[in-house]
């Protein structure tokens, strides 16, 4: 794989040395995804130059793999015939992906060079809501009839297959275009030439509706190991298919989105370095503001125990440790629950099993932490914590009782909130560490000060 | 898709009513992955009963989809002939996946029923390190010779294809078994019967070595949209292939692992509900302990400013807000960097660009937060913060200057640590919120108390 990096650097050198023949030769041997990586680093003029050198049959494949601002630059610079050459070779789903990111005048220019049949489909798919199964499907699939023989079907594939996104899963439809079966190229190849499709096709088909969530479609690929999944309308008429490579992209995007939400970021479609300073600010500031204001409550709790605190200032020193441990304990649980929910490993109905498990884990985690911390406080900190007129033992008792109770509270809160959010129709991912931390911080301090009052009599 | 859930419930009912014929009929129409979900809920006796009802051709496919403890139960309960029937139908890579989770005596029993050729391969693959390309490859692929014609190749596929994991990508090897080309079933089907493989095969092949990281292999599927990738030895002799469905599994597992690490959890292979209480404790307690002990330093900072704090107790009330905001700001950045690194969107060489970007984002985030908080403190909190003899304005100045500086520090720290970890060969994912929080908490407090001393003269 290191070879690919080396090729990209070599291409860069050849371009700088204007060795265009050698560059053309090198590019013809590179994978389109690697060529796109090489193009990413170029200036606009270099980009156009390098793209024009590309062998014809790689141009469209490379174009699909490029970043959308580079695509836009090229579309704006292309001559009419260059644009037509690229557009002709695009699959409908790729064309849609590209156009979704473009300004209206660029979309218009591209659509002018697509044939009317393709244009109709592109417009159709652009209408489906973002993140729906319809928005990621392609319409270039192989359609068979149930009374075809295997030989006829193979002949049909040979005649029409070159323009199809996949020929490996073929779909069987009736006269009304209803999906009635599917048959793999493997089945066709291994069957007898005289066999009839009706007899060898699979009729228990897992399919999705155009408006289903693309994440559900992608998860089905993970679960069933399919190469393609059909997308139908309300009357189970076949409209398109989603292929595994698009499903992988959706899975990666959805994971990135979840991870961003878990880190209190509003997701964006752009990659990190392509996102501007103000866009990044807009992704990050809402949650920072909300959480900052929420932390006011935690501050109020401290204020209301100011008297107790000033009569035993040493207690303040343990606030960071208690807050961090509460946040970390809660974060562990919430993140585990969020990921398990999204993988389908747990369901909302498991909630009581989950809470019961978390309580038991919390008890032993809390006790372990408290024992270690108790020992540490008595052995290492005892001089500094007795200085206040309270015995080190009593202070340590307050801190470590708080630790145990807080870990239990934190883990229960962190298991209930994501499941509750899902139940209410919200995305559980926002119930991750940052939000949980703010909630359990307040709980931790309430417990702490109340134990302090009870045990130290302050 | 709801239909699948309904089928599982119906199957459950039929089993309870002992309507075995109806159950058999229903199971024959269900997808193996859905059958496995139905079996997951059964008792051991029910499981064996239901599995025996399964149509022969679904038994092995279902077995592969089951959880490993159910697989173990079945292997232990199977008669010799039942075991042989299932084992005969397993692909080598699936057999390896299953056996990796089994105790030695179960492995032995299974291997006794595999033919010597398969057994040799299973043993071979079991030897590759966990998480290596070799450990996830399968050896059941189609191998062609370069002097075959297309007709001969298709005949070869028809003869041998039934036992292959995929027939859609075929590999061409020379007499020494070196990988020299590949050709897709689509190319074969669309080519002329007399064409020679040598003329139509693709010779620029992306391949991996057996010891390469499985995550790199999975990422290549994401990047190149391949259906299969070949795995070779040091002399580029073809040993096996990895298929896209296994790559999706690896991607999902690696993401789960990253998410767990980011939440200060030691990753496990088991799903949440299958992990015992003590195992869960073992995953969670090391980081909790480490972070608790690290928070001691933050406590020490507070202790050393005890004098300043007791002369202006109101400062304590803002500690949680400052700590949380520092942690959240840092967490946003570190998680973005970690995910971008793992998607390959950024490289280590981008570090200065990243730091420069984060500084600018931090400045405007910090200023926004400070302005809002300043207004809030003067409008809502001014009575409570003047009570200490300090003017509300000066206290607010200290708090909000700290806020700005802390957010900048936090975002710089959070961009440097993950990239630094990667540079040093550690997993950047551990440099996520929990660790960053502990580091930036200490920074925040140092800044806070120093500003307080300077500005309030305490």
């Amino acid at each position: 794989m290191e070879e690919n990096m080396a090729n990209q650097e070599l291409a860069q050198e050849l371009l700088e040395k204007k060795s265009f023949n050698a560059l053309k030769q090198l590019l013809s041997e590179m994978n389109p995804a690697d060529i796109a990586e090489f193009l990413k680093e170029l200036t606009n003029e270099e980009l156009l130059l390098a793209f024009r050198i590309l062998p014809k049959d790689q141009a469209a494949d490379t174009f699909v793999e490029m970043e959308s601002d580079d695509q836009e630059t090229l579309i704006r610079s292309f001559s009419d015939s260059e644009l037509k050459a690229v557009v002709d070779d695009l699959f409908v789903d790729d064309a849609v992906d590209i156009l979704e990111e473009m300004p209206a005048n660029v979309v218009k220019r591209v659509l002018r060079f697509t044939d009317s049949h393709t244009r109709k489909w592109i417009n159709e798919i652009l209408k489906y809501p973002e993140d729906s199964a319809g928005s990621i499907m392609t319409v270039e699939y192989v359609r068979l009839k149930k009374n075809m023989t295997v030989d006829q079907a193979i002949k049909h594939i040979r005649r029409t297959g070159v323009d199809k996104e996949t020929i490996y899963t073929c779909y069987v439809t009736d006269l009304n275009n209803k999906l009635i079966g599917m048959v793999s190229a493997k089945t066709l190849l291994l069957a007898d030439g005289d066999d009839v499709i009706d007899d060898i096709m699979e009729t228990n088909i897992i399919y999705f509706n155009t408006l289903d969530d693309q994440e559900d479609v992608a998860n089905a690929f993970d679960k069933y190991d399919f190469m393609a999944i059909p997308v139908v309308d309300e009357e189970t008429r076949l409209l398109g298919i989603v292929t595994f490579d698009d499903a992988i992209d959706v899975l990666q995007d959805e994971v990135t989105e979840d991870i961003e939400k878990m880190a209190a970021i509003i997701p964006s479609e752009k990659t990190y370095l392509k996102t501007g300073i103000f866009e990044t600010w807009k992704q990050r500031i809402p949650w920072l503001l909300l959480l900052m204001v929420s932390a006011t409550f935690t501050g109020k709790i401290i204020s209301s125990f100011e008297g107790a605190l000033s009569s035993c200032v040493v207690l303040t020193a343990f606030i960071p440790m208690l807050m961090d441990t509460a946040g970390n304990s809660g974060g562990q649980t919430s993140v585990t629950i969020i990921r398990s929910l999204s993988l389908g490993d747990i369901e909302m109905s498991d909630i009581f099993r989950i809470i019961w498990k978390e309580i038991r884990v919390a008890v032993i985690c809390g006790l372990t932490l408290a024992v270690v911390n108790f020992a540490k406080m008595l052995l290492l900190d005892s001089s500094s914590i007795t200085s206040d007129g309270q015995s080190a033992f009593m202070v340590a008792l307050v801190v470590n009782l708080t630790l145990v109770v807080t870990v239990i509270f934190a883990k229960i809160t962190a298991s209930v909130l994501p499941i509750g959010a899902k139940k209410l129709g919200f995305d559980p991912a926002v119930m991750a560490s940052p939000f949980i931390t703010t909630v359990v911080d307040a709980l931790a301090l309430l417990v702490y000060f109340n134990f302090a009052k009870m045990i130290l009599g302050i």
Side-chain angles (χ1 to χ4, degrees), chain A:
Chain A
M1 286 297 294
E2 296 77 31
E3 200 188 305
N4 305 323
M5 283 301 292
N7 274 343
Q8 288 169 34
E9 278 161 32
L10 183 56
Q12 180 73 48
E13 267 175 47
L14 293 174
L15 184 70
E16 276 160 23
K17 284 196 292 185
K18 300 193 193 303
S19 312
F20 297 130
N21 278 329
L23 179 59
K24 185 168 189 165
Q25 175 59 32
L26 176 64
L27 291 177
S28 74
E29 289 165 13
M30 282 169 66
N31 184 288
D34 291 319
I35 300 176
E37 276 191 5
F38 154 63
L39 296 177
K40 202 167 67 174
E41 307 294 330
L42 305 184
T43 65
N44 283 354
E45 294 86 61
E46 285 175 333
L47 170 64
L48 192 62
L49 184 68
F51 195 85
R52 284 185 169 143
I53 287 176
L54 272 184
K56 277 258 166 320
D57 57 333
Q58 269 171 312
D61 287 345
T62 303
F63 191 78
V64 170
E65 299 286 337
M66 289 166 58
E67 312 240 349
S68 66
D69 46 355
D70 287 345
Q71 289 169 340
E72 194 180 327
T73 307
L74 282 182
I75 295 175
R76 290 184 189 278
S77 320
F78 277 156
S79 70
D80 288 356
S81 63
E82 281 174 327
L83 183 57
K84 187 160 170 38
V86 168
V87 165
D88 275 349
D89 276 357
L90 291 180
F91 285 117
V92 168
D93 60 337
D94 292 330
V96 169
D97 277 354
I98 292 166
L99 293 179
E100 271 169 348
E101 306 291 322
M102 298 290 148
N105 58 341
V106 175
V107 174
K108 233 169 151 181
R109 173 146 200 244
V110 171
L111 287 182
R112 208 146 44 83
F113 290 99
T114 48
D115 61 81
S116 66
H117 179 76
T118 311
R119 187 161 58 235
K120 181 182 145 279
W121 273 115
I122 291 177
N123 279 321
E124 209 55 47
I125 293 178
L126 278 171
K127 268 185 239 152
Y128 290 112
E130 208 186 354
D131 299 343
S132 67
S135 75
I136 55 166
M137 72 185 185
T138 187
V139 294
E140 286 131 327
Y141 52 87
V142 177
R143 191 190 301 241
L144 302 175
K145 296 291 160 205
K146 67 174 181 176
N147 51 2
M148 281 178 170
T149 64
V150 167
D151 277 342
Q152 287 171 328
I154 291 180
K155 205 173 281 172
H156 178 77
I157 294 173
R158 286 195 150 137
R159 209 174 52 237
T160 63
V162 66
D163 291 328
K164 304 304 182 194
E165 177 120 4
T166 184
I167 63 164
Y168 300 136
T169 315
C170 306
Y171 298 90
V172 187
T173 52
D174 69 9
L175 292 176
N176 298 317
N177 198 24
K178 279 199 190 180
L179 178 64
I180 55 174
M182 72 185 191
V183 58
S184 71
K186 182 172 180 175
T187 306
L188 288 176
L189 276 174
L190 301 185
D192 232 29
D194 301 331
D195 286 349
V196 176
I197 298 297
D198 200 13
D199 299 329
I200 59 170
M201 72 185 185
E202 176 72 54
T203 53
N204 298 300
I205 309 173
I206 286 164
Y207 53 78
F208 283 87
N209 191 279
T210 47
L211 296 180
D212 285 333
D213 190 336
Q214 61 173 7
E215 191 169 5
D216 295 335
V217 182
N219 285 334
F221 278 89
D222 183 21
K223 180 172 170 185
Y224 297 112
D225 299 347
F226 291 143
M227 281 180 28
I229 289 184
V231 180
V232 301
D233 68 8
E234 296 296 327
E235 271 103 54
T236 64
R237 281 181 301 227
L238 183 59
L239 292 179
I241 62 169
V242 177
T243 47
F244 73 94
D245 50 318
D246 296 316
I248 292 180
D249 291 343
V250 170
L251 281 177
Q252 292 281 50
D253 287 349
E254 296 283 345
V255 164
T256 304
E257 209 180 297
D258 274 3
I259 289 179
E260 288 179 329
K261 282 185 192 156
M262 286 194 248
I265 299 167
I266 295 171
S268 116
E269 304 254 304
K270 290 196 195 170
T271 59
Y272 176 72
L273 289 175
K274 293 274 170 189
T275 318
I277 304 296
F278 280 96
E279 282 174 279
T280 306
W281 172 78
K282 271 197 275 179
Q283 288 181 266
R284 296 186 185 174
I285 197 70
W287 275 104
L288 286 181
L289 273 173
L290 185 70
L291 294 167
M292 178 183 78
V293 174
S294 313
T296 308
F297 296 104
T298 320
K300 290 260 184 267
I301 293 171
I302 293 189
S303 299
S304 67
F305 287 91
E306 226 167 59
L309 266 186
S310 55
S311 74
C312 186
V313 181
V314 70
L315 290 179
T316 317
F318 297 100
I319 290 179
M321 185 275 285
L322 289 171
M323 280 175 50
D324 282 350
T325 305
N328 293 333
S329 307
Q332 287 180 331
T333 298
S334 68
V335 164
T336 305
I337 303 289
I338 292 166
R339 181 67 182 156
S340 300
L341 278 172
S342 96
L343 287 175
D345 289 340
I346 59 176
E347 323 240 321
M348 279 183 270
S349 56
D350 293 320
I351 184 156
F352 295 108
R353 254 175 97 187
I354 293 168
I355 294 176
W356 176 225
K357 174 171 173 170
E358 287 298 326
I359 291 175
R360 286 175 295 164
V361 173
V363 168
I364 53 174
C365 279
L367 286 176
T368 317
L369 293 172
V371 167
V372 172
N373 194 50
F374 212 107
K376 176 193 150 279
M377 284 177 74
L378 291 188
L379 296 174
L380 303 178
D381 311 330
S382 76
S383 64
S384 62
I385 54 181
T386 33
S387 65
D388 250 351
Q390 295 285 354
S391 87
F393 182 84
M394 295 306 266
V395 173
L397 190 65
V398 170
V399 170
N400 292 301
L401 272 179
T402 306
L403 204 51
V404 177
V405 175
T406 298
V407 171
I408 297 172
F409 271 14
K411 289 206 178 281
I412 294 175
T413 311
S415 43
V416 172
L417 285 184
I419 298 179
K422 179 150 190 185
K423 186 107 196 161
L424 295 174
F426 296 106
D427 190 330
V430 298
M431 293 299 166
S433 314
F435 188 83
I436 299 277
T437 299
T438 307
V439 175
V440 298
D441 278 357
L443 284 174
L445 291 179
L446 271 179
V447 173
Y448 188 39
F449 294 132
N450 279 305
F451 274 136
K453 281 185 140 177
M454 275 160 41
I455 294 171
L456 304 177
I458 50 179

